[in-house]
């Protein structure tokens, strides 16, 4: 570390206490230029497909006409946002988004945790590993494939309804009924991703100190008391972290899943903010409205995640950034 | 000490579960597995079943008694499925190569204390918190003249923040002494990355590569958004949506045959085309991903 150039002979070596080594920008550049070159493709991708598009959000404040471009289109200030406020379709999309997010929070969120506790309690490692392989699998299937599978199983002419008809019952509109759609959509999500979401809990469970269990068992605590007093408190930080991330992401309930089912269930139940953006902007040609809805969603999401993280700190939890350094 | 995840015997202090508890567990495990596997089994079976069996069963078959590849033959005779597979394979292979290159170089540079490292790292991590929005992305891709080209399916996916985090934390765990020793011997950063770091990183490159590959293979929305006129550039996922989810019917003309087989078996064959590559890579993926994901998620 001590690459300080030796100072004059008679002088005392200057103490360099807390200050980090000062190397001139030029010297660092000469040392690091290859590394900087390596960053070029990534930085380029970041600029082209993240940061420049963020600037493209100016469309939200314009009456954007594609043939006039960004500079030629008329500025309308907050006009697009005011239009959104008056647009019942936007409110419907927002309502659906919040309903679906609530369903996901209440019905989806606990499932991976429960699955992880189950897997963690399986003694046979063979059963455990096989089960894990099976429940992780659906995560890697595309939404198109998942919806196709669901349609084949539960659609009007699907497996279950064929069975119902063959024993003389009426078919049930699992995949088309707007009233039960939030439940169906959550079930699809559980089927696809609950197993995958379990991984992080499993990792947390594997880190629980086994001596705590031993000591508790020696003191006569049974399996349920150990679960309540050791297991759950030990993984609290992870649970809270994931809850924060989920809350910050509350306006992103999923895109493809709803786009794919909007035809059969109807926009009344399956339109969410993301599909609203797509249909009003790209399909409907109202670029300003679409961009305004998208921007509002992004900003609210950012505020939510930072807010939730602050809240976690207030409760003495590590939150998003610190917890990653732990364990 | 953390528990050994692979340990298979019951610790002495752990009581034997009651019959009720262990049978409840067995039922949950079995039912969950069946709910996941049955739809896939039905797809495979129906795609292979003969016309008579499908008609007899009223649509779906659990086990083909008289397996035939007729549905696949018909599917592959027409140009549209072969084209779609070509597009998907191209996007997956080229996309994965480009994304891996971008991610590896970026992650390596940012895993060492490098000039401008901090702000660039924050710039990457910020992408995890915010999205530029659909409309601005669309306008950007259009501005770059990428609409209706395969590149619109590849370039926007050239750097995934999550994969970057996984890769970077792996590189960070490689001892500094190792790379510094190579530098002492006069090796450049490029040489160190290629000859020292990458050979040690095969596992993480495999995982991240497979994550990217699965992502490119599964990408549907980008195709819907950016491929508007060129139907010959539709990837498999778009075909799957049109002919299975929407139920658009395939004409004898499109297929290049006179007799169209029952729609069910054709649809299931299309589903299989989307499903099989995932099932093929899954065993490889599975071997490494738990570790990779946990490094990414916990240490990020």
């Amino acid at each position: 570390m001590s690459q300080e150039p030796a100072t004059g002979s008679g002088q005392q070596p200057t103490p360099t206490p807390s200050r980090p080594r000062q190397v001139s920008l030029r010297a660092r550049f000469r040392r690091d230029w290859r590394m900087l070159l390596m960053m070029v493709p990534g930085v380029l991708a970041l600029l082209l497909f993240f940061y420049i598009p963020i600037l493209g959000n100016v469309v939200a404040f314009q009456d954007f006409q594609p043939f006039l471009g960004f500079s030629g289109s008329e500025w309308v200030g907050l006009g697009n946002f005011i239009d959104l406020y008056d647009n019942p379709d936007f409110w419907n999309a927002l309502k659906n988004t919040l309903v679906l997010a609530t369903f996901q929070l209440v019905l989806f969120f606990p499932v991976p945790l429960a699955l992880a506790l189950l897997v963690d309690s399986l003694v046979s490692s063979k059963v455990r590993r096989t089960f894990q392989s099976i429940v992780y699998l659906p995560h890697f299937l595309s939404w198109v494939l998942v919806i196709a599978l669901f349609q084949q199983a539960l659609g009007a002419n699907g497996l279950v309804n064929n069975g119902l008809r063959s024993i003389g019952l009426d078919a049930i509109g699992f995949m088309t009924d707007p009233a039960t759609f939030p439940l169906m959509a959550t079930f699809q999500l559980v089927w696809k991703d609950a197993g995958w979401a379990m991984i992080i809990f499993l990792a947390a469970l594997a880190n629980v100190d086994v001596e705590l269990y031993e000591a508790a068992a020696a003191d006569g605590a049974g399996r349920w008391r150990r679960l309540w007093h050791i297991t759950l408190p030990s993984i609290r930080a992870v649970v809270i972290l994931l809850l924060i991330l989920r809350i910050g992401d509350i306006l992103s309930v999923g895109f493809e899943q709803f786009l794919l089912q909007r035809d059969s269930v109807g926009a009344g139940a399956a339109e969410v903010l993301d599909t609203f953006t797509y249909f009003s902007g790209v399909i409907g040609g109202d670029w300003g409205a679409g961009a305004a809805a998208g921007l509002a969603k992004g900003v609210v999401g950012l505020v939510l995640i930072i807010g939730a993280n602050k809240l976690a700190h207030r409760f003495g939890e590590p939150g998003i950034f610190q917890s990653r350094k732990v364990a | 000490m953390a528990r050994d995840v692979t340990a298979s015997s019951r610790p002495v202090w752990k009581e034997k579960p009651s019959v009720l508890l262990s049978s409840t567990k067995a039922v949950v495990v079995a039912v969950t597995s069946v709910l996941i596997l049955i739809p896939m089994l039905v797809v495979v079976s129906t795609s292979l079943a003969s016309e008579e069996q499908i008609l007899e069963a009223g649509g779906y078959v659990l086990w083909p008694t008289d397996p035939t590849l007729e549905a696949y033959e018909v599917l592959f005779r027409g140009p549209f499925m072969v084209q779609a597979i070509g597009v998907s394979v191209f996007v997956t292979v080229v996309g994965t190569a480009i994304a891996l290159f971008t991610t590896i170089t970026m992650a390596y540079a940012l895993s060492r204390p490098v000039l401008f490292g901090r702000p660039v790292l924050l710039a990457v991590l910020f992408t995890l918190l915010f999205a530029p929005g659909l409309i601005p992305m669309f306008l950007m891709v259009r501005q770059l003249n990428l609409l209706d080209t395969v590149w619109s399916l590849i370039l926007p996916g050239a750097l995934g923040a999550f994969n970057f985090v996984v890769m970077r934390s792996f590189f960070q765990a490689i001892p500094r002494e190792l790379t510094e020793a190579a530098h002492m011997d006069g090796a450049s950063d490029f040489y160190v990355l290629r000859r020292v770091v990458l050979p040690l990183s095969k596992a993480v490159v495999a995982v991240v590569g497979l994550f990217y590959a699965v992502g490119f293979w599964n990408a549907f929305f980008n195709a819907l958004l950016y491929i508007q006129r060129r139907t010959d550039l539709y990837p498999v996922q778009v075909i799957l949506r049109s002919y299975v989810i929407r139920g658009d019917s395939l004409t004898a003309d499109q297929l290049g045959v006179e007799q169209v087989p029952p729609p069910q078996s054709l649809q299931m064959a299309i589903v299989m085309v989307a499903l099989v590559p995932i099932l093929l890579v899954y065993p490889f993926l599975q071997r490494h991903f738990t570790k990779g994901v946990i490094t990414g998620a916990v240490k990020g």
Side-chain angles (χ1 to χ4, degrees), chain A residues 60-228:
Chain A
F61 305 97
Q62 289 185 328
D63 177 20
F64 185 74
Q65 303 295 330
F67 51 88
L68 295 176
F70 294 110
S71 48
S73 294
E74 198 189 330
W75 291 91
V76 295
L78 293 177
N80 289 318
F81 293 91
I82 293 166
D83 288 348
L84 276 189
Y85 186 83
D86 292 331
N87 184 348
D89 292 341
F90 170 74
W91 289 105
N92 175 51
L94 182 63
K95 189 199 83 194
N96 287 336
T97 305
L98 293 176
V99 167
L100 289 161
T102 311
F103 268 80
Q104 288 181 4
L105 205 59
V106 177
L107 295 181
F108 176 83
F109 191 81
V111 179
L113 180 56
L115 269 181
L117 290 172
L118 170 72
V119 168
D120 193 61
S121 77
L122 295 174
V123 170
S124 157
S125 66
K126 212 178 195 176
V127 173
R128 190 163 49 192
R129 239 175 290 149
T130 316
F131 185 60
Q132 276 171 273
S133 311
I134 294 172
V135 294
Y136 293 159
L137 175 62
H139 171 77
F140 295 97
L141 309 182
S142 65
W143 267 116
V144 189
L145 192 51
V146 171
I147 302 297
L149 288 176
F150 264 81
Q151 217 178 43
Q152 304 307 320
L154 299 173
N157 294 309
L159 197 60
V160 171
N161 277 327
N162 274 346
L164 285 177
R165 268 191 293 263
S166 72
I167 54 171
L169 293 171
D170 283 336
I172 302 172
F174 298 106
M175 296 294 285
T176 49
D177 187 350
T180 52
F181 181 68
L183 210 57
M184 185 36 119
T186 312
F187 180 54
Q188 291 163 350
L189 185 69
V190 168
W191 189 85
K192 185 177 192 293
D193 277 337
W196 184 251
M198 169 181 86
I199 287 189
I200 186 90
F201 292 117
L202 275 182
L205 287 173
N207 275 325
V208 179
D209 194 340
V210 78
E211 280 171 22
L212 286 179
Y213 286 116
E214 271 177 60
D219 288 343
R223 112 183 16 257
W224 299 109
R225 295 198 64 159
R226 291 200 302 268
L227 176 71
W228 186 252

Side-chain angles (χ1 to χ4, degrees), chain B residues 27 30 37 169 186 221 232 235 237 253 258:
Chain B
V27 169
L37 294 179
S169 47
F221 187 65
D232 58 317
Q237 306 291 339
D253 227 22
E258 275 126 51

Side-chain angles (χ1 to χ4, degrees), chain B residues 14-15 22 44 59 66 84 95 106 120 147 159 184 204 232 235 257 261 263 287 290-291:
Chain B
K14 208 174 189 181
E15 53 282 83
S22 37
V44 180
D66 181 20
M106 187 87 155
V120 175
L147 284 188
L159 183 72
M184 294 296 185
V204 76
D232 58 317
V257 290
R287 200 147 30 113
T290 319
K291 208 175 136 213

Side-chain angles (χ1 to χ4, degrees), chain A residues 25 28-29 31-39 41-43 45-46 48-54 56-57 59 64 66 70 115 118 120-125 127-129 131-138 140-142 144-145 147-149 151-152 157-159 162 187 191 196 199-200 203 205-211 213-214 217 221-224 226 255-256 259-260 263 274 277-278 281-282 287 290-291 295 298-299 301-302 305 320-321 323-327, chain B residues 1-3 5-10 13-17 21 25 28-29 32-33 35-40 42-43 58-60 101-102 105-106 108-110 112-117 120 122-124 126-144 146 155-156 158-159 188-190 193 211 214 218-221 224-225 228 237 240-241 244-246 264 267-268 271 274-275 278-279 282 285-286 289-290 293-294 297-300:
Chain A
L25 204 64
R28 289 192 66 182
F29 187 81
R31 191 193 67 194
D32 283 351
W33 70 268
R34 291 185 182 87
M35 289 295 227
L36 292 174
L37 198 61
M38 281 190 212
M39 293 183 350
V43 169
L46 215 54
L48 281 180
F49 298 108
F50 192 81
Y51 286 97
I52 297 178
I54 283 185
N57 272 309
V59 174
F64 185 74
F70 294 110
L115 269 181
L118 170 72
D120 193 61
S121 77
L122 295 174
V123 170
S124 157
S125 66
V127 173
R128 190 163 49 192
R129 239 175 290 149
F131 185 60
Q132 276 171 273
S133 311
I134 294 172
V135 294
Y136 293 159
L137 175 62
F140 295 97
L141 309 182
S142 65
V144 189
L145 192 51
I147 302 297
L149 288 176
Q151 217 178 43
Q152 304 307 320
N157 294 309
L159 197 60
N162 274 346
F187 180 54
W191 189 85
W196 184 251
I199 287 189
I200 186 90
L205 287 173
N207 275 325
V208 179
D209 194 340
V210 78
E211 280 171 22
Y213 286 116
E214 271 177 60
R223 112 183 16 257
W224 299 109
R226 291 200 302 268
F255 196 150
E256 299 187 356
L259 184 79
L260 289 164
D263 289 343
D274 282 327
T277 303
Y278 173 68
V282 181
W287 300 94
L295 181 61
V299 171
L302 185 65
I305 198 160
I320 324 173
F321 297 108
S323 76
R324 298 188 170 186
K325 281 167 199 140
V326 188
Chain B
M1 255 322 286
R3 264 175 295 163
V5 216
T6 55
S8 193
S9 61
R10 191 189 319 279
W13 46 267
K14 208 174 189 181
E15 53 282 83
K16 202 168 186 307
L21 186 60
K25 276 194 222 167
V28 174
V29 168
T32 311
S33 308
L35 279 181
I36 292 172
L37 294 179
I38 285 285
M40 298 184 205
V42 169
V43 168
Y60 298 92
F101 178 76
T102 313
T105 47
M106 187 87 155
Y108 178 62
L110 293 179
R112 311 280 127 167
V114 67
L115 189 62
F116 307 129
V120 175
L122 289 177
V124 182
F126 184 66
T127 64
L128 290 166
L129 299 182
F130 187 81
L134 173 78
I135 306 278
M137 276 302 278
F138 178 82
L139 294 174
M140 185 72 204
V141 170
R142 205 183 56 166
Q143 201 80 18
L144 294 171
L146 295 178
L155 295 179
L159 183 72
S188 75
D189 292 312
F190 300 123
L193 173 58
F211 278 150
V214 169
N218 281 344
F220 157 72
F221 187 65
L224 189 70
L225 200 54
Q228 301 186 319
Q237 306 291 339
L240 182 63
R241 187 235 195 167
V244 180
I245 295 182
R246 288 192 146 177
Q264 240 87 10
Q267 288 189 341
M268 294 307 96
V271 174
L275 180 62
I278 302 287
L279 293 183
Y282 186 63
L285 187 63
Q286 215 230 328
F289 65 41
T290 319
V293 170
I294 288 166
V298 180
K299 293 218 183 94

